[in-house]
Amino acid sequence: MTDTSAIPIGTTITHDWVVTHEMTVASHGVVDLPVLATPNLVFMLEDTCVFAVQPYLDAGDLTVGTEVQVKHLAAAKTGESVVTHAELVAAKGRRLSFRIEARCGGRTVAAGTHERAVVNAEEFKKRLMGS
Protein backbone atom coordinates (compact mmCIF):
# COMPACT_ATOMS: atom_id res chain seq x y z
CA MET A 1 0.00 0.00 0.00
CA THR A 2 1.24 3.46 -0.90
CA ASP A 3 2.85 5.43 1.92
CA THR A 4 1.08 8.78 1.56
CA SER A 5 3.72 10.49 3.70
CA ALA A 6 6.08 9.98 0.74
CA ILE A 7 3.88 12.17 -1.49
CA PRO A 8 5.27 15.70 -1.19
CA ILE A 9 2.90 18.21 0.37
CA GLY A 10 2.65 21.07 -2.08
CA THR A 11 2.54 18.76 -5.11
CA THR A 12 0.60 20.69 -7.75
CA ILE A 13 -0.72 20.14 -11.21
CA THR A 14 -2.79 22.06 -13.73
CA HIS A 15 -4.84 20.54 -16.48
CA ASP A 16 -6.51 22.14 -19.49
CA TRP A 17 -10.01 21.12 -20.52
CA VAL A 18 -12.19 22.34 -23.38
CA VAL A 19 -15.90 22.57 -22.59
CA THR A 20 -17.78 20.36 -25.05
CA HIS A 21 -21.53 20.18 -25.58
CA GLU A 22 -21.64 16.88 -23.67
CA MET A 23 -20.30 18.70 -20.59
CA THR A 24 -22.99 21.40 -20.60
CA VAL A 25 -26.16 22.01 -18.68
CA ALA A 26 -28.05 21.77 -22.00
CA SER A 27 -26.98 18.15 -22.49
CA HIS A 28 -27.98 17.08 -18.96
CA GLY A 29 -31.51 18.29 -18.44
CA VAL A 30 -34.26 20.69 -19.24
CA VAL A 31 -32.31 23.96 -18.90
CA ASP A 32 -31.02 24.96 -22.33
CA LEU A 33 -27.76 26.72 -21.47
CA PRO A 34 -24.46 26.12 -23.30
CA VAL A 35 -22.38 26.34 -20.11
CA LEU A 36 -20.33 23.84 -18.11
CA ALA A 37 -22.54 21.78 -15.79
CA THR A 38 -21.52 21.58 -12.14
CA PRO A 39 -21.26 17.75 -12.12
CA ASN A 40 -18.79 17.91 -15.01
CA LEU A 41 -16.85 20.67 -13.27
CA VAL A 42 -16.52 18.47 -10.19
CA PHE A 43 -15.41 15.56 -12.38
CA MET A 44 -12.69 17.76 -13.92
CA LEU A 45 -11.47 18.90 -10.50
CA GLU A 46 -11.42 15.34 -9.13
CA ASP A 47 -9.51 14.03 -12.13
CA THR A 48 -6.95 16.79 -11.74
CA CYS A 49 -6.29 15.56 -8.19
CA VAL A 50 -5.93 12.01 -9.53
CA PHE A 51 -3.35 13.23 -12.08
CA ALA A 52 -1.40 15.02 -9.31
CA VAL A 53 -0.72 11.95 -7.17
CA GLN A 54 -0.85 9.09 -9.68
CA PRO A 55 2.95 9.07 -10.22
CA TYR A 56 3.50 8.50 -6.48
CA LEU A 57 1.17 5.52 -6.06
CA ASP A 58 2.36 1.94 -5.76
CA ALA A 59 1.41 -0.45 -8.55
CA GLY A 60 -2.14 -1.66 -8.01
CA ASP A 61 -3.17 1.37 -5.92
CA LEU A 62 -5.52 4.15 -6.95
CA THR A 63 -7.40 6.96 -5.27
CA VAL A 64 -11.14 7.33 -4.77
CA GLY A 65 -12.98 10.52 -3.96
CA THR A 66 -14.38 10.82 -0.45
CA GLU A 67 -15.39 14.47 -0.13
CA VAL A 68 -15.87 17.48 -2.40
CA GLN A 69 -16.57 21.01 -1.25
CA VAL A 70 -16.69 23.39 -4.18
CA LYS A 71 -18.26 26.72 -5.00
CA HIS A 72 -19.25 27.08 -8.65
CA LEU A 73 -18.60 30.80 -9.08
CA ALA A 74 -18.79 31.57 -12.80
CA ALA A 75 -19.89 30.11 -16.10
CA ALA A 76 -17.69 28.60 -18.79
CA LYS A 77 -19.25 28.36 -22.25
CA THR A 78 -19.01 25.61 -24.83
CA GLY A 79 -15.67 25.85 -26.60
CA GLU A 80 -13.92 27.73 -23.81
CA SER A 81 -10.80 26.42 -22.10
CA VAL A 82 -11.01 25.71 -18.38
CA VAL A 83 -7.77 25.27 -16.47
CA THR A 84 -8.04 23.22 -13.30
CA HIS A 85 -5.46 23.36 -10.54
CA ALA A 86 -4.93 20.97 -7.63
CA GLU A 87 -2.49 21.27 -4.75
CA LEU A 88 -1.91 18.55 -2.17
CA VAL A 89 -2.19 20.30 1.21
CA ALA A 90 -2.26 17.34 3.62
CA ALA A 91 -1.74 13.58 3.78
CA LYS A 92 -2.71 11.45 6.77
CA GLY A 93 -2.99 7.69 6.70
CA ARG A 94 -4.71 6.83 3.43
CA ARG A 95 -6.32 10.30 3.14
CA LEU A 96 -5.14 13.01 0.78
CA SER A 97 -6.47 16.59 0.98
CA PHE A 98 -6.35 19.05 -1.89
CA ARG A 99 -7.05 22.69 -2.56
CA ILE A 100 -8.77 22.91 -5.95
CA GLU A 101 -9.57 25.69 -8.39
CA ALA A 102 -10.83 26.12 -11.94
CA ARG A 103 -10.24 29.22 -14.06
CA CYS A 104 -11.49 30.34 -17.45
CA GLY A 105 -9.87 33.39 -18.94
CA GLY A 106 -9.36 35.82 -16.11
CA ARG A 107 -12.19 34.57 -13.93
CA THR A 108 -12.38 31.94 -11.22
CA VAL A 109 -14.99 29.36 -12.22
CA ALA A 110 -14.70 27.27 -9.05
CA ALA A 111 -12.77 26.99 -5.80
CA GLY A 112 -12.83 24.53 -2.94
CA THR A 113 -11.35 21.43 -1.37
CA HIS A 114 -11.31 17.75 -2.21
CA GLU A 115 -10.31 14.60 -0.33
CA ARG A 116 -9.32 11.26 -1.75
CA ALA A 117 -8.37 7.92 -0.20
CA VAL A 118 -5.69 5.56 -1.44
CA VAL A 119 -7.01 2.04 -1.98
CA ASN A 120 -5.77 -1.15 -3.57
CA ALA A 121 -7.75 -1.49 -6.80
CA GLU A 122 -8.28 -5.26 -6.61
CA GLU A 123 -9.33 -5.25 -2.95
CA PHE A 124 -11.71 -2.36 -3.61
CA LYS A 125 -13.30 -4.18 -6.56
CA LYS A 126 -13.69 -7.36 -4.46
CA ARG A 127 -15.51 -5.40 -1.74
CA LEU A 128 -17.80 -3.89 -4.38
CA MET A 129 -18.66 -7.32 -5.71
CA GLY A 130 -19.34 -8.67 -2.23
CA SER A 131 -16.48 -11.18 -2.29
Side-chain angles (χ1 to χ4, degrees):
M1 177 65 68
T2 300
D3 176 9
T4 59
S5 68
I7 304 173
I9 301 302
T11 294
T12 63
I13 193 168
T14 58
H15 190 78
D16 294 320
W17 308 81
V18 174
V19 179
T20 64
H21 173 73
E22 294 75 25
M23 301 164 97
T24 66
V25 173
S27 74
H28 289 310
V30 296
V31 178
D32 188 21
L33 290 175
V35 296
L36 181 61
T38 303
N40 286 86
L41 174 61
V42 170
F43 171 79
M44 292 159 54
L45 291 163
E46 283 200 65
D47 265 10
T48 303
C49 294
V50 170
F51 301 150
V53 297
Q54 193 68 41
Y56 298 98
L57 300 180
D58 291 345
D61 285 353
L62 54 82
T63 62
V64 294
T66 59
E67 182 178 321
V68 178
Q69 293 186 14
V70 66
K71 290 187 178 188
H72 194 161
L73 302 167
K77 299 180 293 191
T78 303
E80 286 189 307
S81 177
V82 173
V83 178
T84 53
H85 177 80
E87 177 184 2
L88 182 65
V89 296
K92 184 176 182 182
R94 297 181 313 122
R95 301 284 180 181
L96 302 169
S97 300
F98 299 86
R99 184 172 321 136
I100 52 177
E101 181 181 67
R103 297 187 61 78
C104 182
R107 59 193 189 277
T108 302
V109 174
T113 60
H114 179 46
E115 291 191 4
R116 301 190 69 76
V118 177
V119 298
N120 177 273
E122 287 304 314
E123 290 174 15
F124 189 78
K125 288 176 189 174
K126 284 180 186 176
R127 283 195 309 271
L128 284 176
M129 302 308 289
S131 309

